[in-house]
């Protein structure tokens, strides 16, 4: 009887391991993910397959002569959910396994920011457990990055549930994209482009405090590192043609000075747009909230000695009885996430 129980137990473990390996086999043909304890540059030099919890960890995907956009089916310029319509995202999940069994859930924030210029590259470097001062990858819980930004995903899942004891765990790294069909609905999971790979992670509880502090520091620094521009973005200069006497250049300048006094606006431009210039916005009950000036106002401004590029929206709050209040700054991009920043000499 013991032999029978032993046989089924071994079969069960083998099945779990087979399932783990099967998931890895779903990686797109020709695509490889590499790992290192140092940030990658333009090659996969310095790759490793095992790490300790005292190491920093980085990833790199190479796409067999396909661009990131081609391999994952990323949106073309103008079709992205990002507010500049160029940058996009990959889904990025890191999951912990022990003896073939999954420990806890993967990282919750799994939208990984991809810059527009990176879409045409045949490789892509990303952070897993980065040194705080070198953290670059941005993770968010929303596809348009309209909420807070986080750093390396392995920092997020350091918990007793996932690492109950010291020992060697398998860390699975998964990059994927969820395409939609012609009707705008998600394709079946079998059609998602996926890249996966694993590495060994020797966890020791003595490293927990350092992991926690590094995670906090990386999270604070990642936006600073990731949002720096080396030139003014092209979209800033794509001006619209809103010929409305109520919203002249002088009117906009006065509103910006009055409503965002902490930002010293250097220049602004009304962005290009299509559709009506004004839109009456209502709540879920059909009650009028405001009348919004639909073109976005792109602004370059200085604050605390640094220069930034962002956007604002203007609207008139509804006062009742068919009347609207004065035109004002209704929303700012910096209230949702950090604005792009650059050296002030580059603001032209």
């Amino acid at each position: 009887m013991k032999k029978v129980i032993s046989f089924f137990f071994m079969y069960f473990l083998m099945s779990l391991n087979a399932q783990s390996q099967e998931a890895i086999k779903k990686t797109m043909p020709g695509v490889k993910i590499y790992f290192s304890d140092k940030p990658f540059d333009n090659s996969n030099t310095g790759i490793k397959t095992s790490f300790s919890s005292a190491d920093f960890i980085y990833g790199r995907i190479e796409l067999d002569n396909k661009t990131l956009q081609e391999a994952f089916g990323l949106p073309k310029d103008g079709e992205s959910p990002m507010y500049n319509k160029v940058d996009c995202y990959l889904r990025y999940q890191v999951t912990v396994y022990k003896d073939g069994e999954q420990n806890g859930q993967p990282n919750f924030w799994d939208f990984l920011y991809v810059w527009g210029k990176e879409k045409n590259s045949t490789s892509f470097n990303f952070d897993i457990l980065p040194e705080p001062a070198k953290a670059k990858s941005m993770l968010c819980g929303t596809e348009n990055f309209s909420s807070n930004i986080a750093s390396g995903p392995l920092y997020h899942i350091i918990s007793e549930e996932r690492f109950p004891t010291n020992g060697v765990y398998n860390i699975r790294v998964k990059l994927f994209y969820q395409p939609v069909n012609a009707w705008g609905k998600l394709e079946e999971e079998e059609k998602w482009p996926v890249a996966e790979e694993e590495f060994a992670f020797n966890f020791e509880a003595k490293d927990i405090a350092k992991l926690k502090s590094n995670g906090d520091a990386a999270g604070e620094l990642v936006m600073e590192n990731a949002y720096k521009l080396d030139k003014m973005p092209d979209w800033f200069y794509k001006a619209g043609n809103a010929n409305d006497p109520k919203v002249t250049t002088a009117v906009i300048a006065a509103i910006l000075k009055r409503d965002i006094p902490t930002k010293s606006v250097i220049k602004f431009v009304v962005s290009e747009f299509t559709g009506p210039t004004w839109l009456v916005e209502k709540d879920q009950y059909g009650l009028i909230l405001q009348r919004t000036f639909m073109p976005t106002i792109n602004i370059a401004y200085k604050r605390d000695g640094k220069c930034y590029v962002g956007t604002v929206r203007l609207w008139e709050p509804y006062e009742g009885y068919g009347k609207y209040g004065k035109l004002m700054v209704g929303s700012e991009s910096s209230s949702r996430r950090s604005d792009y920043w650059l050296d002030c000499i580059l603001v032209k």
Side-chain angles (χ1 to χ4, degrees):
M1 183 65 179
K2 288 183 178 179
K3 290 183 178 180
V4 174
I5 293 174
S6 177
F7 171 79
F8 280 109
F9 179 70
M10 290 300 297
Y11 178 80
F12 175 70
L13 290 180
M14 290 173 63
S15 296
L16 285 176
N17 186 60
Q19 290 173 7
S20 174
Q21 295 304 311
E22 181 62 29
I24 293 295
K25 290 178 182 177
K26 290 180 181 178
T27 294
M28 294 177 288
V31 173
K32 293 287 292 182
I33 294 179
Y34 302 98
F35 307 109
S36 177
D37 58 355
K38 296 179 177 59
F40 287 103
D41 48 27
N42 295 321
S43 72
N44 58 32
T45 302
I47 61 175
K48 297 180 65 175
T49 57
S50 63
F51 303 85
S52 77
S53 50
D55 290 331
F56 298 117
I57 308 174
Y58 304 87
R60 173 181 174 85
I61 184 171
E62 296 184 356
L63 301 162
D64 193 30
N65 294 320
K66 289 185 178 181
T67 67
L68 199 66
Q69 186 174 48
E70 291 169 341
F72 285 96
L74 300 181
K76 299 177 181 178
D77 291 357
E79 299 176 359
S80 167
M82 304 299 187
Y83 83 99
N84 67 2
K85 300 299 183 182
V86 175
D87 301 338
C88 55
Y89 67 84
L90 283 172
R91 300 296 293 273
Y92 175 23
Q93 294 179 348
V94 172
T95 311
V96 180
Y97 286 83
K98 179 68 170 175
D99 299 326
E101 184 174 355
Q102 181 174 325
N103 280 15
Q105 296 301 310
N107 51 299
F108 178 68
W109 286 6
D110 65 0
F111 291 93
L112 172 63
Y113 202 96
V114 176
W115 295 86
K117 61 185 178 183
E118 294 173 319
K119 292 191 297 188
N120 294 319
S121 176
T122 57
S123 62
F124 180 70
N125 299 331
F126 54 95
D127 297 338
I128 299 171
L129 198 71
E131 180 181 351
K134 298 178 181 179
K136 293 184 178 181
S137 294
M138 296 186 296
L139 290 170
C140 191
T142 59
E143 66 178 12
N144 60 358
F145 284 70
S146 59
S147 62
N148 290 332
I149 306 297
S151 181
L154 188 48
Y155 282 126
H156 309 168
I157 57 175
I158 300 297
S159 67
E160 188 174 6
E161 174 192 13
R162 298 178 179 90
F163 299 97
T165 60
N166 290 348
V168 178
Y169 295 78
N170 285 339
I171 307 299
R172 180 174 299 174
V173 173
K174 178 179 180 180
L175 296 172
F176 64 103
Y177 192 73
Q178 296 170 292
V180 297
N181 61 24
W183 299 105
K185 296 181 180 179
L186 282 180
E187 293 280 14
E188 298 85 355
E189 186 172 353
E190 292 74 18
K191 296 182 179 180
W192 298 356
V194 175
E196 289 185 289
E197 191 54 84
E198 292 182 348
F199 60 84
F201 186 67
N202 187 7
F203 174 80
E204 294 190 43
K206 66 180 179 61
D207 295 321
I208 292 174
K210 189 63 176 178
L211 286 164
K212 295 290 187 183
S213 63
N214 281 346
D216 291 341
E220 292 174 2
L221 293 174
V222 69
M223 289 190 292
E224 183 81 1
N225 292 337
Y227 277 112
K228 184 177 180 180
L229 300 175
D230 54 10
K231 65 176 183 177
M232 288 286 283
D234 293 339
W235 55 260
F236 186 93
Y237 300 103
K238 294 181 178 180
N241 188 26
N243 296 318
D244 191 310
K246 290 179 58 178
V247 194
T248 64
T249 299
V251 167
I252 295 174
I255 291 173
L256 296 178
K257 184 176 181 179
R258 180 194 69 204
D259 292 353
I260 49 174
T262 62
K263 298 176 180 179
S264 179
V265 177
I266 302 170
K267 63 187 305 178
F268 65 86
V269 62
V270 179
S271 68
E272 62 181 359
F273 70 101
T274 58
T277 303
W278 295 89
L279 178 67
V280 174
E281 298 193 51
K282 301 178 181 180
D283 65 14
Q284 59 182 326
Y285 304 107
L287 300 177
I288 297 175
L289 298 173
Q290 71 251 350
R291 181 164 57 192
T292 300
F293 182 66
M294 293 307 293
T296 300
I297 311 300
N298 298 325
I299 61 172
Y301 63 93
K302 191 172 186 178
R303 184 178 63 193
D304 299 329
K306 292 180 66 174
C307 290
Y308 301 84
V309 175
T311 63
V312 300
R313 299 296 300 273
L314 306 180
W315 63 52
E316 299 171 330
Y318 186 62
E319 296 183 338
Y321 302 102
K323 294 183 179 181
Y324 294 89
K326 63 184 179 183
L327 189 63
M328 60 186 291
V329 171
S331 66
E332 305 173 56
S333 57
S334 61
S335 67
R336 300 186 297 275
R337 51 147 187 80
S338 178
D339 279 337
Y340 297 111
W341 70 279
L342 69 170
D343 291 336
C344 291
I345 59 173
L346 298 176
V347 179
K348 300 177 182 179

